[in-house]
Amino acid sequence: MKFNLDLSEPHVKGCLELLFSSSYKTFHHRCYTHYLKSGGGDSARNSPYEPLRDRPGYWTWLCDHFETEEFQKKSVIGKANRMKLAYVHKKGTKPFVALQHELSCDQISLYKECYCSDKGWASRDARQNYETMLQMQHENEQEGAIQLTEQQICEKVLGKAYGYIRGRGHGPKPNRRASSTSANTYQQMEEELASTEQTVAVQQNQLAV
């Protein structure tokens, strides 16, 4: 399958950058996992990750990077943040958007795919959320019911944080730049209006004299 991609389109470029970034992070995470399993330090340096066996210089650089104070600090913070999650999805680092495209499923079905596996649900809360969304979807189909989109159902059940629907990966984000630009434009208009009023007042005084 071939795609004709126009990199001059911001949304196309952004999507590619997101996928490349995700792949890069996934690979480095696997490298770090191998580094830890190999015992770290010189032991890990002497046992390079298989895909980097022909690139010893890069593997050595990664080992040095894993031992820096900055990386260790970020690692501790990352672990602490993950511990705060009520439950974790079961699809690794693959973007939800890419997964939804592969499965060609709706948003509620995608939630089940991400938080339920052959071993069961990620947690009772995850299962309850899914069942609640299904119930709301069923009620939504009844005659006379207030029509809600799937996104609205997900938002009502899962909640929203910083413009993202919880448990749904990348989602709608508020246009902070647009809001900031609007505020700045409004302030600029007020200043220009005040300046114009002052100029008119001065001219009126001059005419009166």
Side-chain angles (χ1 to χ4, degrees), residues 9-67:
E9 293 288 343
H11 66 281
V12 174
K13 184 178 179 181
C15 184
L16 287 176
E17 289 177 347
L18 177 64
L19 291 174
F20 289 154
S21 174
S22 177
S23 297
Y24 180 80
K25 290 178 181 178
T26 299
F27 179 72
H28 274 203
H29 175 71
R30 290 172 180 168
C31 289
Y32 184 55
T33 300
H34 177 80
Y35 170 85
L36 294 177
K37 288 183 177 179
S38 300
D42 291 336
S43 177
R45 286 179 175 79
N46 295 327
S47 179
Y49 185 44
E50 185 61 34
L52 295 178
R53 191 167 293 278
D54 295 332
R55 301 175 62 189
Y58 187 60
W59 174 247
T60 299
W61 177 85
L62 275 178
C63 291
D64 293 340
H65 173 65
F66 294 149
E67 294 169 4

Side-chain angles (χ1 to χ4, degrees), residues 154-168:
C154 290
E155 184 176 332
K156 282 182 174 294
V157 176
L158 304 176
K160 204 171 184 181
Y162 301 105
Y164 291 93
I165 298 176
R166 295 182 185 275
R168 284 280 291 107

